[in-house]
Amino acid sequence: MTADKILVHFSQLFNPNDKGRALQGKEMNEATIIEDAYIAIKDGKILTIGSGQPEASLIDDSTEVIDYTGKFACPGLIDCHTHLVYGGSREHEFAKKLNGVSYLDILREGGGILSTVRATRKSDFDTLYKKSDRLLDYMLSHGVTTVEAKSGYGLDWETELKQLEVVKKLNEDSKVDLVSTFMAAHAVPPEYKGRSKEYLDLIINEMLPKVKEADLAEFCDIFCETGVFTAEESEYLLSAAKELGFKLRIHADEIDSIGGVNVAAKLHTTSAEHLMKATDEGIKLMSENGVIGNLLPATTFSLMEDTYAPAKKMLENNMAITLSTDSNPGSCPTANIQFVMQLGCYMYHLTPIEVYNAVTINAAYSVDRANEIGSFDEGKRADIAIFDAPNLDHTIYFFATNLISDVYKDGQCVIKDKQAV
Ligand code: NIG
Ligand code: FE
């Protein structure tokens, strides 16, 4: 079969080994690395990859051949944990943070997530849409072609619905693909202060069925944390969501270890997110129950915490891990997944290959899209991130600079020489 397009002479190409499930432990340090590589594309999908001169049978008069000498390529990056849609911003809390006021204290005083809830409730659909679209543009320009997006800054039906509809519309309009997560259990709304169980009942009895009915989210998530929702409450909500057919995620062991991981293991959630304070026992439980650990090192950085998630220990215990930005206005105001990947090496001491597997194939499994994305296997979407760097080590070593040169989405060049096409 001939290709529509062949991208040739990449100095290096990274392709994860798709084993039909997320890579675990030692497998995360394995991949197919090809020098002088090419990628053949047909109808927006991967036809084949290889090294050197592409076979003559791949090329006819209509095949476009594009030279990428000196550049590194990998599958489009997947940011599998973001709070993309929100009103306002929170730089006014930065001085407090610098003065040592903790994240949970700011929340307790009615700031933090609750400050963004007020701003999001006030923002109309168009304002939220434009703001989130801009963030998606930043992400795309950093090589990200799929983004998971959570609601959770409404904490009432009207605003949660508005956020989910923004995600739906962005998924239709944007070059980036979105995966929607319903997270009305992101905090206890002021109207329900001291009555978290009643709020969860409202979510279970009224919101979740409507989200399901309108097909507005695939996943359900909850913030299991001191002063937010307990492990028992998390199990209560996530069991009900599972019953309704939602796939599950949980924010667990972010600031305090209060049992969220046990809930993840018991309910076999797809992932447990953050895990800064994961314990040895928790790691064992996640490993045994196939829970993907989704790590967010830029959040640790931004919260100015000393303790990074025990990523190496997770791999030693045969866990599967992913990395993502957590992009949100409070605990992690960034859209730069490359910085997250670099922190993965600089702070977790992962290898570059472990990091690239985390943000491609494992992230694809974490959003249940591995049949379409996450590697260059034949028939998957031709989503490609191309770096102005000769090899994968260089993209990590030269940090905090956007090294993307070009991005392809479904076989179309959407970023060329760092500019949107
Ligand atoms: O993943 N931990 C809860 N949610 C976000 C923070 C949201 C915010 O501070 O606005 C997180 O860190
Ligand atoms: Fe988060």
Side-chain angles (χ1 to χ4, degrees):
M1 201 190 290
T2 55
D4 302 333
K5 264 178 209 163
I6 305 196
L7 320 186
V8 295
H9 299 313
F10 288 106
S11 49
Q12 196 182 68
L13 177 142
F14 168 88
N15 190 29
N17 301 327
D18 184 354
K19 292 181 185 283
R21 52 162 175 75
L23 302 176
Q24 301 160 225
K26 286 197 181 75
E27 294 169 348
M28 285 200 69
N29 202 25
E30 295 160 8
T32 303
I33 306 282
I34 306 177
E35 315 284 329
D36 188 17
Y38 66 81
I39 305 173
I41 301 168
K42 176 87 178 166
D43 297 331
K45 305 264 166 58
I46 300 295
L47 186 56
T48 187
I49 57 173
S51 180
Q53 206 52 43
E55 280 177 40
S57 61
L58 288 170
I59 304 179
D60 66 13
D61 290 348
S62 64
T63 305
E64 192 184 350
V65 180
I66 306 151
D67 187 90
Y68 277 108
T69 299
K71 309 232 194 259
F72 165 74
C74 70
L77 306 173
I78 301 164
D79 195 342
C80 60
H81 179 143
T82 83
H83 302 257
L84 182 80
V85 184
Y86 57 85
S89 63
R90 305 235 289 275
E91 62 270 26
H92 57 275
E93 288 174 359
F94 197 62
K96 280 192 189 167
K97 197 157 101 171
L98 283 175
N99 284 321
V101 185
S102 81
Y103 179 80
L104 289 180
D105 281 339
I106 294 174
L107 179 61
R108 226 169 271 131
E109 288 161 9
I113 295 175
L114 295 177
S115 150
T116 301
V117 167
R118 288 189 288 277
T120 309
R121 287 179 177 179
K122 271 192 225 140
S123 301
D124 61 20
F125 181 94
D126 287 346
T127 309
L128 289 178
Y129 177 92
K130 284 198 190 106
K131 200 171 157 76
S132 317
D133 194 33
R134 185 153 159 258
L135 269 176
L136 282 181
D137 282 345
Y138 287 152
M139 290 174 178
L140 184 68
S141 72
H142 285 86
V144 172
T145 47
T146 302
V147 167
E148 183 260 10
K150 303 174 196 296
S151 70
Y153 288 122
L155 315 183
D156 61 25
W157 174 243
E158 196 190 340
T159 319
E160 290 290 319
L161 177 65
K162 189 167 61 181
Q163 283 190 281
L164 294 172
E165 283 179 336
V166 166
V167 172
K168 183 172 181 221
K169 180 97 172 76
L170 285 169
N171 190 37
E172 288 160 10
D173 301 348
S174 166
K175 288 163 186 160
V176 177
D177 288 326
L178 284 102
V179 178
S180 178
T181 295
F182 180 57
M183 199 180 176
H186 194 193
V188 181
E191 301 80 15
Y192 282 82
K193 200 168 177 191
R195 297 186 293 137
S196 51
K197 170 77 170 35
E198 279 175 56
Y199 178 54
L200 290 176
D201 281 332
L202 177 78
I203 298 178
I204 292 171
N205 298 325
E206 303 200 10
M207 299 193 202
L208 276 175
K210 288 190 207 159
V211 175
K212 191 78 214 160
E213 167 89 36
D215 196 18
L216 283 167
E218 277 175 55
F219 287 87
C220 181
D221 197 345
I222 184 166
F223 190 15
C224 181
E225 187 57 69
T226 306
V228 192
F229 295 103
T230 64
E232 201 185 316
E233 289 171 332
S234 303
E235 183 175 343
Y236 180 61
L237 173 72
L238 293 182
S239 309
K242 191 174 187 174
E243 206 56 11
L244 281 168
F246 286 90
K247 291 171 265 189
L248 309 178
R249 325 181 77 83
I250 182 167
H251 280 59
D253 289 2
E254 177 175 357
I255 294 158
D256 293 323
S257 185
I258 62 159
V261 162
N262 301 60
V263 176
K266 186 167 173 192
L267 299 182
H268 295 103
T269 63
T270 303
S271 61
E273 331 255 323
H274 285 285
L275 305 176
M276 242 146 77
K277 298 289 161 59
T279 61
D280 291 354
E281 195 207 334
I283 291 173
K284 208 165 154 272
L285 273 176
M286 287 186 282
S287 175
E288 283 165 3
N289 290 282
V291 177
I292 299 173
N294 187 19
L295 310 184
L296 312 155
T299 305
T300 318
F301 173 86
S302 162
L303 291 175
M304 302 177 193
E305 294 274 342
D306 299 326
T307 318
Y308 280 74
K312 275 290 188 200
K313 200 177 256 182
M314 290 175 185
L315 294 185
E316 281 157 21
N317 283 275
N318 209 33
M319 264 182 76
I321 61 170
T322 62
L323 297 174
S324 35
T325 58
D326 195 20
S327 188
N328 73 68
S331 69
C332 201
T334 184
N336 184 350
I337 200 164
Q338 290 172 42
F339 181 55
V340 169
M341 293 161 67
Q342 289 148 359
L343 288 175
C345 287
Y346 283 91
M347 302 312 294
Y348 293 157
H349 304 291
L350 297 173
T351 67
I353 290 182
E354 286 166 346
V355 161
Y356 271 91
N357 277 320
V359 293
T360 55
I361 194 67
N362 276 13
Y365 278 100
S366 130
V367 293
D368 198 20
R369 291 281 187 287
N371 55 340
E372 291 178 29
I373 54 174
S375 68
F376 289 133
D377 288 295
E378 187 184 342
K380 288 200 186 183
R381 292 171 185 266
D383 295 353
I384 308 164
I386 299 169
F387 292 74
D388 215 351
N391 53 56
L392 90 165
D393 286 351
H394 191 103
T395 67
I396 301 290
Y397 140 89
F398 197 87
F399 68 94
T401 303
N402 183 7
L403 290 176
I404 280 292
S405 163
D406 293 12
V407 178
Y408 285 75
K409 181 77 193 75
D410 294 312
Q412 296 302 316
C413 187
V414 292
I415 304 280
K416 179 88 196 145
D417 294 330
K418 299 191 178 294
Q419 303 299 319
V421 175

